């Protein structure tokens, strides 16, 4: 059985920051990532980030991934990185099973930080399995990682930040965006993104949903319909749009299977995207050895995922007795950064969710 101070599951922004913080304080770290590369969602984000300098504002997401990975490469005495390594099980005795290439490996870490991110939500409508219907993450991967356009004319479903940003990236790639629709009566994403899209001539139609895709072997069009104030379809308002791609961007759900299996207490919190773990202010779950960070704790942004990763890394290392002189100040700094990231109207929503899962209120 392989032993290590801290195993981290997930090599996205949260996991990368957790590894850095834990190793900087002297803990040995094994970082597990199921993809063949590190970075998580960041590798497909070619746009410059918002926020403050501490969270790499004005740097492109993909570049942030490289910066964080290079930092870890400079700590190879304490940090071991396994890519193509999927954590399959986390058991009550704290054993983690991992599929690494063709091998199955058991690991007994003293602490585990789970930073597995989130998965995309999907929608039910007629013919939603036709080729040409994608999640927004797949469209981003196709365009920004593989350099492939998904089609010629897209219907974007979802006017949150992801739907707006991916629409803009589609336009930049020379793909027409027929419309962005959203079931909600208002646009969920930042107005700065929505204005850019509107200036490019793309209509953003609220209180509408998609009811049907049509086409023989792949998408040739979509039917959309207006919704009333109870979000019910209004008969007679159907419109047909000629599109060859329907891109679904209707939110993310925390990827928490390992935590259910480990016996962590979970709660359903709509403001955080679904079932999320109960935790203390140091991101420790109700299972003593298990810590959490990033989108898994509740859907936010890469900025908060990075700060949470750092906080979980510091707290897990500290619980094992690894303490640099600046540890207490560093923990306080993380808490202050999270507080500031969660201020304002979007933050209110997140804070309402957090209040439902905090152990130490
Ligand atoms: C289109 C788009 C635009 C965005 N723009 C911004 C922005 O401008 N600013 C911003 O701050 N945020 C932005 N975000 C949000 C940001 O990308 C996420 O909040 C952030 O990536 C979450 O980080 P994470 O580390 O929790 O999860 P992820 O980045 O999803 O990383 C999780 C990692 O865990 C791995 N993993 C999962 N399960 C396992 C397992 N069992 N074993 C091993 N590995 C596993 C995954 O492969 C993945 O690499 C954007 C997101 C999208 C989709």
């Amino acid at each position: 059985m392989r032993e290590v101070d801290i195993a981290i599951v997930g090599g996205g922004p949260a996991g990368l920051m957790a590894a850095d913080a834990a190793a900087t304080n002297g803990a040995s770290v094994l970082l597990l990532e199921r993809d063949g590369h590190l970075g998580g969602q960041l590798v497909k984000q070619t746009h410059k980030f918002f926020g403050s300098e501490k969270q790499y504002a004005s740097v492109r997401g993909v570049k942030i991934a490289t910066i964080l990975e290079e930092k870890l490469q400079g700590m190879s005495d304490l940090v071991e990185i396994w890519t193509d390594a999927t954590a399959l099980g986390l058991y009550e005795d704290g054993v983690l099973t991992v599929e690494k290439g063709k091998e199955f490996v058991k690991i007994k870490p003293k602490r585990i930080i789970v930073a597995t991110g989130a998965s995309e939500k999907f929608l039910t409508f007629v013919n939603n399995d036709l080729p040409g219907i994608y999640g927004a993450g797949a469209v981003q991967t196709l365009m920004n990682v593989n350099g492939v356009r998904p089609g010629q004319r897209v219907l974007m479903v979802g006017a949150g930040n992801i739907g707006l940003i991916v629409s803009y990236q589609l336009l930049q790639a020379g793909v027409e965006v027929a419309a962005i629709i959203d079931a909600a009566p208002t646009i969920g994403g930042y107005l700065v993104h929505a204005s850019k899209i509107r200036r490019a001539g793309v209509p953003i139609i609220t209180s509408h949903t998609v009811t049907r895709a049509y086409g023989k072997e792949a998408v040739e069009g979509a039917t959309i319909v207006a919704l009333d104030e109870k979000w019910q379809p209004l008969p007679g308002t159907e419109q047909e749009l000629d599109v060859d791609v329907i891109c679904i961007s209707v939110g993310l759900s925390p990827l928490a299977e390992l935590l259910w299996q480990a016996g962590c207490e979970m709660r359903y919190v709509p403001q955080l995207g679904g079932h999320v773990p109960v935790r203390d202010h140091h991101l420790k779950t109700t299972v003593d050895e298990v810590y959490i960070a990033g989108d898994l704790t509740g859907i936010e942004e890469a900025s908060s995922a990075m700060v949470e990763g750092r906080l979980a890394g510091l707290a897990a290392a500290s619980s094992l007795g690894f303490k640099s002189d600046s540890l207490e100040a560093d923990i306080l700094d993380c808490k202050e950064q999270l507080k500031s990231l969660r201020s304002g109207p979007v933050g209110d929503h997140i804070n309402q969710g957090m209040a439902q899962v905090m152990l130490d209120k």
Side-chain angles (χ1 to χ4, degrees):
M1 180 107 61
R2 171 69 202 269
E3 290 182 6
V4 66
D5 290 327
I6 302 178
I8 299 173
V9 186
L16 290 168
M17 286 294 284
D20 176 34
T24 302
N25 278 273
S28 64
V29 170
L30 176 60
L31 178 61
L32 307 167
E33 168 53 52
R34 69 180 173 187
D35 279 345
H37 52 79
L38 297 177
Q41 306 258 8
L42 291 179
V43 298
K44 45 191 160 169
Q45 290 166 15
T46 49
H47 61 284
K48 291 182 180 171
F49 272 36
F50 286 171
S52 81
E53 228 173 81
K54 282 189 170 175
Q55 296 110 32
Y56 301 97
S58 302
V59 181
R60 295 183 194 280
V62 59
K63 174 75 182 155
I64 300 174
T66 312
I67 295 171
L68 298 180
E69 182 174 352
E70 282 172 359
K71 258 179 121 184
L72 294 186
Q73 278 160 357
M75 297 178 172
S76 54
D77 49 331
L78 281 173
V79 180
E80 192 176 345
I81 299 171
W82 291 359
T83 50
D84 291 313
T86 305
L88 299 175
L90 175 53
Y91 300 94
E92 280 170 6
D93 55 1
V95 171
L96 193 60
T97 53
V98 179
E99 183 183 16
K100 181 178 181 250
K102 290 186 177 154
E103 267 179 280
F104 286 91
V105 188
K106 279 188 179 178
I107 302 165
K108 180 79 176 95
K110 293 181 186 139
R111 298 287 181 272
I112 300 164
I113 301 173
V114 183
T116 43
S119 63
E120 286 182 279
K121 292 182 179 164
F122 206 65
L123 276 182
T124 308
F125 56 90
V126 179
N127 293 333
N128 73 354
D129 58 350
L130 268 180
I133 301 175
Y134 297 87
V139 166
Q140 265 208 321
T141 305
L142 267 181
M143 289 200 303
N144 300 347
V145 180
N146 302 311
V148 175
R149 282 192 284 231
Q152 307 292 324
R153 197 158 191 263
V154 176
L155 168 65
M156 178 66 68
V157 184
N161 276 327
I162 295 179
L164 296 175
I165 291 172
V166 174
S167 295
Y168 195 70
Q169 292 175 345
L170 283 161
L171 295 175
Q172 286 178 313
V175 179
E176 197 183 335
V177 180
I180 303 176
I181 60 168
D182 201 301
T186 51
I187 295 170
Y190 296 138
L191 285 180
V192 60
H193 296 316
S195 306
K196 251 163 71 171
I197 297 281
R198 279 188 163 140
R199 280 200 301 274
V202 177
I204 304 178
I205 312 171
T206 51
S207 294
H208 274 70
T209 192
V210 57
T211 54
R212 189 170 75 99
Y214 56 86
K216 280 199 189 104
E217 290 181 5
V219 173
E220 293 170 19
T223 307
I224 63 170
V225 69
L227 300 174
D228 66 17
E229 63 283 356
K230 291 186 177 151
W231 298 47
Q232 295 305 307
L234 282 164
T237 62
E238 293 82 3
Q239 292 178 57
E240 304 218 325
L241 298 177
D242 284 340
V243 290
D244 61 354
V245 173
I246 300 174
C247 182
I248 311 288
S249 178
V250 293
L252 301 164
S253 302
L255 259 183
E257 283 82 354
L258 289 172
L259 301 176
W260 285 102
Q261 197 181 10
C264 299
E265 185 183 336
M266 307 289 289
R267 278 186 205 151
Y268 182 76
V269 183
Q271 293 95 328
L272 301 180
H275 279 99
V276 288
V278 172
R279 79 294 300 259
D280 69 10
H281 277 97
H282 289 156
L283 297 172
K284 189 172 80 168
T285 66
T286 50
V287 173
D288 262 352
E289 298 78 24
V290 181
Y291 290 69
I292 47 168
D295 273 356
L296 162 83
T297 69
I299 307 300
E300 290 184 82
E301 295 202 319
S303 38
S304 35
M306 285 188 275
V307 183
E308 281 196 342
R310 181 168 168 238
L311 176 58
L314 293 169
S318 154
S319 73
L320 292 171
F322 295 102
K323 289 182 190 190
S324 69
D325 292 344
S326 63
L327 183 104
E328 293 307 326
D330 291 344
I331 287 182
L332 205 63
D333 179 47
C334 291
K335 289 182 179 171
E336 287 301 320
Q337 283 190 51
L338 286 173
K339 204 165 149 191
S340 142
L341 286 169
R342 291 170 185 158
S343 56
V346 180
D348 281 349
H349 189 71
I350 298 292
N351 289 326
Q352 280 165 20
M354 292 288 170
Q356 299 173 51
V357 284
M358 279 298 175
L359 281 170
D360 42 1
K361 297 202 170 149

